[in-house]
Amino acid sequence: MFIFRYFTYSLKSISKLFSLKDEKIIKVLLYFLLITMIYSFPMNFNLIQNNGFQITQLTIADSINEDYVDKLPSDCIISSTINCSESENLEIQAGELLLVFNANQNYEVKNDSLVYYKNRIVFNSNGDVIESNYNYDEALNTSELKTLTSEEVTNKLISGFEGEFSPESIFASIAFFTFSNILMNTIYIIIASILALLLRYGLKKFLSYKEAFKLFVFSSTWPIIICVIVGMFGLYPFMPVIYQFGTPLMFLLVFYRNIGNVK
């Protein structure tokens, strides 16, 4: 199968990788889609494995972008439930997210809010509602939290939230993440291939744009394999760096090692 041949050639030999520049563009695009889905695998696997748990906590943390510590109630204990001596339906705007402490059963969850009911926590992200039991390792005293930084308070408050996305939400998240990678990597390869044409100055022979594009696709194979390994260890922020720097370096290595074979 041509995809298996592309994969082995791209990993095995620089000269064989260079020979792939003459392949049909439709086959190259199919290969590009495949390796981009491989690139997306670590984060998608993490999403499936954790049923959206880690992603949910990250979403909550990212939505809290204002210092709200001084507004916290001073009379609440959060453990397996929330207990407050006086505070009820206390709303605190923490940037993009509304925090609600000790909400009664009649309280209606608003968009973009994290609501602490008596026996459950509800997170509403733009209409997508996710619920969690209280799962804190230690009790939180809100009066003591007021002595900490906003980031520390946020980490403690969301540590007990272990809500899960629905299967439909997980599938939608995987599809969105994978499509985003395909779009961003496509834009990157197109721009990188255009910039690569600047290398033609001073050279008698050079690649056409289509050939450069194909070589960039195949040159991304090794960087993507490294990205997957790094991603499986949870080091997701390093994946785009490895991909964006590793691919052009591999392209240059392949081109200059085969410059004499350019027609």
Side-chain angles (χ1 to χ4, degrees):
M1 187 177 180
F2 71 90
I3 289 180
F4 179 76
R5 177 168 61 89
Y6 290 170
F7 189 76
T8 54
Y9 275 27
S10 298
L11 296 179
K12 186 176 181 180
S13 168
I14 288 178
S15 59
K16 287 185 176 180
L17 189 157
F18 185 79
S19 69
L20 296 176
K21 66 180 178 59
D22 298 320
E23 295 295 312
K24 293 182 178 180
I25 189 65
I26 186 63
K27 291 184 177 180
V28 177
L29 291 176
L30 290 175
Y31 178 75
F32 173 72
L33 290 176
L34 173 65
I35 59 176
T36 302
M37 286 189 285
I38 292 174
Y39 174 83
S40 305
F41 174 77
M43 182 62 82
N44 287 339
F45 178 74
N46 179 71
L47 183 61
I48 295 172
Q49 189 177 42
N50 293 287
N51 292 323
F53 160 56
Q54 291 184 5
I55 301 301
T56 304
Q57 288 195 348
L58 289 174
T59 302
I60 295 173
D62 288 342
S63 300
I64 298 175
N65 47 32
E66 286 185 8
D67 190 348
Y68 61 96
V69 175
D70 291 340
K71 303 175 185 177
L72 289 172
S74 300
D75 60 337
C76 298
I77 302 294
I78 303 173
S79 54
S80 58
T81 61
I82 183 170
N83 292 287
C84 304
S85 59
E86 295 182 4
S87 299
E88 186 178 31
N89 296 339
L90 178 62
E91 297 183 346
I92 299 174
Q93 194 66 47
E96 298 177 15
L97 191 70
L98 177 68
L99 302 178
V100 184
F101 292 91
N102 198 29
N104 61 41
Q105 294 306 310
N106 296 322
Y107 183 88
E108 294 186 6
V109 180
K110 301 174 182 177
N111 279 348
D112 301 320
S113 63
L114 183 66
V115 183
Y116 290 83
Y117 288 98
K118 183 69 175 179
N119 298 305
R120 61 194 173 103
I121 310 172
V122 177
F123 175 51
N124 184 318
S125 178
N126 196 28
D128 190 5
V129 177
I130 307 167
E131 293 192 11
S132 170
N133 294 322
Y134 283 83
N135 296 286
Y136 291 92
D137 294 331
E138 58 180 359
L140 304 180
N141 188 320
T142 55
S143 63
E144 295 177 0
L145 291 180
K146 298 179 78 168
T147 65
L148 305 177
T149 65
S150 180
E151 182 178 357
E152 290 173 327
V153 173
T154 297
N155 289 336
K156 286 182 177 293
L157 285 176
I158 68 176
S159 65
F161 187 96
E162 295 186 2
E164 298 180 355
F165 282 122
S166 66
E168 294 80 9
S169 296
I170 293 175
F171 177 78
S173 298
I174 290 174
F176 177 78
F177 181 73
T178 303
F179 177 78
S180 296
N181 279 335
I182 292 173
L183 178 62
M184 295 304 297
N185 288 0
T186 300
I187 293 173
Y188 173 76
I189 293 291
I190 290 173
I191 294 175
S193 301
I194 293 174
L195 294 177
L197 298 181
L198 297 175
L199 297 173
R200 71 168 65 244
Y201 296 103
L203 298 175
K204 294 181 179 179
K205 297 182 292 183
F206 195 72
L207 304 167
S208 66
Y209 174 77
K210 187 180 292 187
E211 289 173 331
F213 178 88
K214 295 175 187 176
L215 277 189
F216 260 102
V217 170
F218 294 120
S219 296
S220 68
T221 304
W222 262 116
I224 283 177
I225 295 301
I226 297 173
C227 285
V228 171
I229 296 173
V230 169
M232 294 307 293
F233 286 96
L235 302 175
Y236 309 116
F238 292 97
M239 292 176 62
V241 177
I242 294 171
Y243 176 79
Q244 292 170 10
F245 282 91
T247 300
L249 289 176
M250 189 67 183
F251 172 87
L252 290 174
L253 176 63
V254 171
F255 175 71
Y256 282 112
R257 286 286 296 271
N258 294 274
I259 194 171
N261 297 323
V262 178
K263 299 179 181 179

